[in-house]
């Protein structure tokens, strides 16, 4: 992670009729980091994500991507900028009438202008990066398990080689093993591809395992954005209940135990060598 903010949200407000979701919200996303976004029901986590990627026009404020004001750009320039973003939607949002390979190839055909054959060949690479077996490309979404849908959707979000990856509840509905595998895959991709990640999640294991920082939405703004250890100590009732409740304590304890085991394995290997 660097000190370069590649996404800057300033004074963001989102209002829907009489309902105000965000008011004067500020947030930065730094190059190379994995940022977890959490908050209670109705705090507008997905709305914030959609506002940043251009799917929701905020009522007020500014969203700057790579130093440019997204909302002020002409349509063509805005479209080119948005192609530097990859989005994994909650539920996958795969086209049911297309195979997995065709789903991943579609943005390469529409936005990169590749032929179908070239796009599908590159789609195979993206599917492999996402950890899917070669035969999965021939399957339709209805034939996929929950974990396979997540990975297929991840492959599609990586199709255009984005700089920033947006994930909306990526481990929701997965069993603990599948969720843990996805976390490790995310870390591998971040390190290998230099991705920056904005992740909306409720998964405490994911927050402790993969996130460099956590941003908490509350009172229509970002209440705190900091390293997980510091956020967990923030003097707010919701934060304390979330991170210090039974599940929060269990997730943190599991992380600590894994760290101890990994350190022991590394030390043993050094001694043998």
């Amino acid at each position: 992670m660097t000190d370069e903010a590649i996404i800057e949200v300033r004074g963001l407000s989102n209002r829907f009729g009489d309902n105000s979701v965000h008011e004067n919200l500020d947030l930065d996303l730094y190059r190379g980091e994995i940022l977890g976004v959490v908050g209670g029901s109705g705090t507008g986590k997905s709305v914030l994500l959609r506002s940043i990627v251009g799917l929701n026009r905020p009522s007020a404020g500014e969203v700057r991507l790579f130093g440019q004001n997204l909302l002020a750009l002409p349509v063509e320039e805005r479209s080119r900028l948005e192609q530097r973003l990859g989005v994994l939607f909650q539920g996958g949002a795969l086209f049911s009438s297309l195979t997995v390979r065709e789903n991943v190839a579609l943005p390469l055909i529409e936005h990169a202008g590749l032929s179908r054959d070239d796009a599908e060949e590159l789609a195979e690479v993206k599917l492999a990066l996402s950890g899917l077996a070669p035969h999965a490309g021939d399957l339709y979404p209805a034939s996929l398990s929950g974990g396979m849908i997540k990975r297929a959707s991840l492959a599609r979000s990586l199709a255009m080689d984005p700089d920033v990856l947006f994930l909306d509840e990526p481990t929701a509905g997965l069993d603990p093993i599948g969720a843990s595998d996805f976390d490790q895959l995310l870390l591998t991709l971040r390190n290998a591809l230099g991705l920056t990640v904005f992740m909306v999640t409720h998964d405490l294991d994911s927050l402790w395992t993969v996130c460099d920082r956590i941003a908490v939405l509350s009172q229509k703004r970002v209440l705190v954005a900091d390293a997980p250890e510091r956020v967990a100590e923030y003097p707010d009732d919701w934060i304390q209940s979330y991170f210090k409740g039974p599940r929060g304590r269990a997730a943190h304890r599991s992380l600590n135990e894994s760290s101890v085991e990994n350190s022991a394995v590394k030390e043993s290997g050094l001694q043998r060598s």
Side-chain angles (χ1 to χ4, degrees):
M1 185 176 75
T2 70
D3 293 331
E4 178 191 359
I6 58 176
I7 294 180
E8 301 165 277
V9 180
R10 295 291 181 269
L12 188 77
S13 296
N14 278 304
R15 308 182 191 103
F16 303 93
D18 296 330
N19 182 31
S20 173
V21 178
H22 303 133
E23 290 291 344
N24 201 33
L25 183 152
D26 295 337
L27 181 63
D28 289 329
L29 180 65
Y30 297 106
R31 184 178 296 278
E33 79 168 331
I34 298 179
L35 175 71
V37 179
V38 302
S41 178
T43 53
K45 300 177 290 297
S46 294
V47 173
L48 174 59
L49 183 155
R50 293 173 65 86
S51 297
I52 295 174
V53 302
L55 295 175
N56 174 72
R57 189 172 186 88
S59 306
E62 182 177 277
V63 177
R64 300 188 69 83
L65 303 182
F66 312 104
Q68 300 186 67
N69 184 353
L70 179 67
L71 303 176
L73 290 175
V75 173
E76 276 192 27
E77 289 184 39
R78 178 174 170 175
S79 178
R80 283 196 295 269
L81 195 63
E82 289 171 347
Q83 287 176 29
R84 298 177 66 182
L85 312 176
V87 185
L88 189 161
F89 294 101
Q90 187 174 358
L94 297 172
F95 293 105
S96 60
S97 60
L98 300 180
T99 66
V100 168
R101 185 185 300 103
E102 290 168 340
N103 266 281
V104 178
L106 186 61
L108 293 166
I109 296 170
E110 290 193 343
H111 300 300
L114 296 186
S115 67
R116 175 167 180 168
D117 287 344
D118 288 343
E120 292 194 358
E121 185 175 344
L122 189 52
E124 293 285 1
V125 176
K126 305 301 181 180
L127 290 169
L129 276 175
S130 301
L132 283 172
H135 77 277
D138 297 319
L139 301 176
Y140 287 88
S143 302
L144 304 180
S145 67
M148 292 175 72
I149 287 174
K150 299 288 187 182
R151 289 174 184 265
S153 302
L154 178 62
R156 188 177 62 182
S157 71
L158 294 171
M160 296 291 292
D161 295 325
D163 295 289
V164 187
L165 190 60
F166 290 84
L167 309 175
D168 193 357
E169 300 287 1
T171 59
L174 298 184
D175 62 74
I177 294 174
S180 177
D181 287 345
F182 192 94
D183 287 343
Q184 294 307 313
L185 174 62
L186 181 58
L187 285 172
T188 299
L189 291 173
R190 188 273 298 269
N191 296 336
L193 304 179
L195 291 170
T196 301
V197 181
F198 179 106
M199 178 171 65
V200 173
T201 185
H202 284 100
D203 192 325
L204 282 155
D205 288 317
S206 294
L207 290 169
W208 283 115
T209 301
V210 305
C211 292
D212 299 295
R213 290 192 305 142
I214 297 172
V216 180
L217 300 190
S218 180
Q219 302 166 35
K220 303 181 182 181
R221 59 186 176 89
V222 175
L223 184 62
V224 60
D226 210 333
E229 295 80 6
R230 288 192 282 274
V231 170
E233 298 301 326
Y234 192 84
D236 173 81
D237 288 345
W238 186 88
I239 290 176
Q240 290 302 302
S241 296
Y242 189 76
F243 286 97
K244 299 296 181 66
R247 291 191 178 186
R249 291 197 302 270
H252 196 194
R253 184 169 59 248
S254 176
L255 176 67
N256 289 335
E257 290 172 353
S258 295
S259 297
V260 170
E261 288 176 3
N262 290 337
S263 297
V265 170
K266 289 178 181 178
E267 184 176 347
S268 174
L270 288 171
Q271 289 174 349
R272 284 197 300 271
S273 63

